[in-house]
């Protein structure tokens, strides 16, 4: 669970700093599939995290 929280914090930080690159680049950086990344971002949005 701690790894998941760290990943979420990192995603939020990278988005805030606008340092994500393309979705595929971000997924590769996080060692996720592109679909996993999209699911995480969808969940973050549903929790009210401001993601453009």
């Amino acid at each position: 669970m701690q790894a998941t929280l760290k990943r979420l914090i990192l995603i939020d930080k990278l988005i805030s700093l606008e340092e994500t690159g393309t979705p595929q680049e971000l997924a590769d950086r996080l060692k996720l599939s592109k679909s996993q990344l999209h699911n995480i971002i969808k969940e973050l949005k549903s929790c009210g995290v401001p993601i453009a």
Side-chain angles (χ1 to χ4, degrees):
M1 177 145 158
Q2 188 172 352
T4 302
L5 181 57
K6 285 182 180 181
R7 183 183 298 146
L8 292 174
I9 291 169
L10 177 59
I11 292 170
D12 182 52
K13 179 180 176 183
L14 292 172
I15 290 171
S16 296
L17 297 173
E18 298 180 5
E19 294 182 2
T20 59
T22 66
Q24 187 62 58
E25 290 170 339
L26 180 57
D28 290 345
R29 184 174 183 178
L30 298 169
K31 296 179 179 38
L32 299 170
S33 71
K34 195 172 167 183
S35 62
Q36 286 174 306
L37 176 63
H38 282 288
N39 289 337
I40 291 169
I41 290 173
K42 184 179 175 181
E43 272 198 54
L44 289 172
K45 284 182 177 181
S46 73
C47 292
V49 175
I51 297 175

